[in-house]
Amino acid sequence: MTEPVSTGNASRGILGQLAKMDGEPTGTKTYGRYLWQAKQAVRSWLSCLAPSDSPLAVLCERNEDIALIYESGFRFAQLKTRDRGAWSGKSVCDSGHGIDSLVRTYKSARAANLHECSTFELWLEGPMSDRSDTVKFFENPSQASDEIKKKIISLGLPKNQLEDFLKRLMIRAQQPAQAHIDAVIIRQMAAIWRSHSFPELEDVYQRLLETASAAQAGHDQIGSIQRLINHPLSPSFELGWLDEDPQALTMVMIQSLTPPLDGESDQQLLERMARGESTSMLELKLRRAGATEATIQQAHALRAQSDVVRQLSSASRSDPAEEFEQLADRVLLHARALATRVSLNGVANPLAAARPAEMITAEILSDPSVGQLDRAGLLDSDTVNLYGYLCHLSDKCLFPWRSA
């Protein structure tokens, strides 16, 4: 996605000014258009998870249908559906067809001194006309024909602001159709969580869509932004002030509703735990490595069983710490070698690459010789108990269930 015009750095000043912008009340919408907008909000919200150049939050029905917040500024997007036909440069300038709303938002942003760090975008379902004036206008609004410029001025834009508005205007036709947008989003999610099945992704998508729909129906227009004025941002641009906003979709929120990313560090997983998203580091590591719910529940049960045996064994020995340390070394050495083998076999077996935790679990539990690792009989030399012990070690951040 194209970033907004940068001001160099983020400051609470520009966000404070956002609170002063006039908002346009949301009119009556058909359910289909309303739902399509919510799905577009989910698409934008997912982009918050991108490793770079990603928005920090998405606001729904705030000044425009969607507003994306970046460290450097804002993207205000007006979304329009179309059942048939193509969009022309002239038609988008008609009343109620998008440009008029963006003109109002531009004037409001200009009054709040935010226009220089913002873009104003029209997202259109369906194709654009192949007329040369439309093609030129959509590709580069600054090349609008005189007739289109006159129509934009007639929408209430001062003539001396036209050039600046067109420079910041973006028109994005051919947005995913209402009939196909679900599939587009699921494909986007599959690229983010490559180890998760289609049904799992559908469950996550439903949670995200319900949350985005609720954000659309929020009522608090500027309260959280006004609170920001009294609570300056930290140098890292913390957005905690948005977490209470009913119309905001933030990074913290999407992380709480989605599985861990493949590249998340242990520190990030610990932060998830601190927010109460999971019961253990073991569970988060298993999820990150593609474990199914059944495998996660089995891991918890076998870990608990192994813990009982470990405690009884420790109580019956005078100095079990060194023996368990040696056992841990052998179990981890075996598990890491197995994870490396699973990774190397991933080229021939895509399932192994996508779900290493599943493959490692199956390999260990189906191999009775694993019991030989327990030379001192600390865990009764039992394969199942040793698997549970590996789960214990993983919970201590010693095994990631995938190749390092």
Side-chain angles (χ1 to χ4, degrees):
M1 288 187 175
T2 304
E3 292 187 54
V5 179
S6 175
T7 59
N9 60 5
S11 71
R12 72 187 183 98
I14 62 171
L15 286 170
Q17 289 299 100
L18 178 61
K20 301 176 183 179
M21 288 176 56
D22 296 328
E24 181 66 14
T26 303
T28 303
K29 306 180 181 76
T30 64
Y31 178 74
R33 175 174 181 262
Y34 187 85
L35 187 59
W36 184 76
Q37 289 182 346
K39 293 173 181 179
Q40 287 281 31
V42 171
R43 286 186 71 207
S44 299
W45 195 15
L46 286 169
S47 68
C48 291
L49 298 173
S52 61
D53 301 328
S54 57
L56 302 171
V58 179
L59 297 179
C60 298
E61 301 293 346
R62 179 72 55 77
N63 306 106
E64 286 297 350
D65 296 323
I66 293 176
L68 285 78
I69 297 179
Y70 291 79
E71 287 196 21
S72 56
F74 312 97
R75 292 172 57 194
F76 296 100
Q78 171 73 195
L79 281 57
K80 290 297 179 184
T81 59
R82 193 176 186 89
D83 295 329
R84 58 182 180 274
W87 294 96
S88 70
K90 296 177 183 178
S91 67
V92 297
C93 296
D94 289 338
S95 177
H97 284 187
I99 296 294
D100 56 345
S101 179
L102 292 174
V103 165
R104 287 191 295 268
T105 300
Y106 170 80
K107 290 166 64 178
S108 181
R110 192 178 181 94
N113 199 29
L114 291 179
H115 62 295
E116 291 186 352
C117 63
S118 301
T119 58
F120 305 87
E121 305 179 17
L122 183 59
W123 297 6
L124 303 172
E125 179 191 17
M128 68 176 178
S129 166
D130 59 4
R131 288 176 55 91
S132 60
D133 59 342
T134 294
V135 173
K136 289 177 63 177
F137 178 46
F138 280 30
E139 290 181 351
N140 183 357
S142 294
Q143 298 184 31
S145 66
D146 290 342
E147 186 175 0
I148 290 176
K149 289 180 179 178
K150 289 179 181 177
K151 292 197 71 170
I152 294 175
I153 292 173
S154 72
L155 295 173
L157 182 69
K159 189 173 183 180
N160 63 353
Q161 296 177 10
L162 177 63
E163 181 179 351
D164 186 70
F165 172 71
L166 292 176
K167 181 175 68 174
R168 305 179 191 285
L169 175 65
M170 295 181 182
I171 303 176
R172 303 176 183 277
Q174 207 67 56
Q175 292 293 307
Q178 295 177 61
H180 306 130
I181 191 169
D182 293 323
V184 170
I185 294 174
I186 289 293
R187 285 198 298 269
Q188 182 181 355
M189 295 175 65
I192 297 173
W193 295 284
R194 292 171 294 177
S195 62
H196 287 69
S197 67
F198 182 77
E200 289 171 333
L201 293 177
E202 280 193 317
D203 288 341
V204 175
Y205 175 38
Q206 190 60 39
R207 290 199 298 271
L208 297 180
L209 183 56
E210 289 174 355
T211 306
S213 297
Q216 280 186 308
H219 300 294
D220 181 11
Q221 289 295 310
I222 62 174
S224 58
I225 300 179
Q226 289 175 327
R227 286 191 292 273
L228 172 65
I229 299 173
N230 299 320
H231 299 281
L233 294 173
S234 72
S236 61
F237 202 87
E238 294 293 338
L239 287 177
W241 57 275
L242 275 173
D243 292 336
E244 300 177 9
D245 190 317
Q247 291 173 274
L249 304 173
T250 67
M251 172 69 81
V252 170
M253 290 172 62
I254 196 169
Q255 286 180 330
S256 71
L257 294 169
T258 59
L261 301 174
D262 289 346
E264 285 191 32
S265 66
D266 287 348
Q267 179 60 38
Q268 289 171 311
L269 294 181
L270 286 169
E271 290 172 358
R272 281 178 174 266
M273 288 179 63
R275 294 194 295 266
E277 295 174 30
S278 185
T279 58
S280 67
M281 179 63 79
L282 169 63
E283 180 175 338
L284 288 171
K285 285 181 174 292
L286 284 167
R287 289 188 187 280
R288 184 171 61 178
T292 63
E293 289 295 331
T295 295
I296 292 170
Q297 294 305 315
Q298 174 183 260
H300 282 310
L302 297 184
R303 186 249 173 107
Q305 173 184 313
S306 178
D307 282 348
V308 172
V309 177
R310 179 165 56 88
Q311 291 167 6
L312 291 174
S313 181
S314 296
S316 66
R317 297 170 185 263
S318 59
D319 187 15
E322 184 176 353
E323 291 180 302
F324 271 107
E325 184 176 344
Q326 293 173 355
L327 176 61
D329 289 341
R330 289 194 294 271
V331 169
L332 289 172
L333 183 64
H334 178 81
R336 288 165 183 160
L338 180 56
T340 298
R341 192 175 78 207
V342 169
S343 176
L344 293 175
N345 291 340
V347 176
N349 185 354
L351 178 61
R355 293 183 176 274
E358 290 291 308
M359 301 300 293
I360 292 169
T361 294
E363 288 278 355
I364 292 177
L365 291 178
S366 64
D367 183 2
S369 67
V370 170
Q372 298 175 14
L373 297 171
D374 184 16
R375 298 172 184 173
L378 295 169
L379 300 176
D380 299 333
S381 301
D382 182 80
T383 296
V384 172
N385 287 340
L386 288 168
Y387 173 81
Y389 186 53
L390 178 62
C391 293
H392 163 74
L393 296 172
S394 178
D395 206 22
K396 296 172 65 177
C397 297
L398 295 176
F399 184 62
W401 297 95
R402 63 195 316 149
S403 174

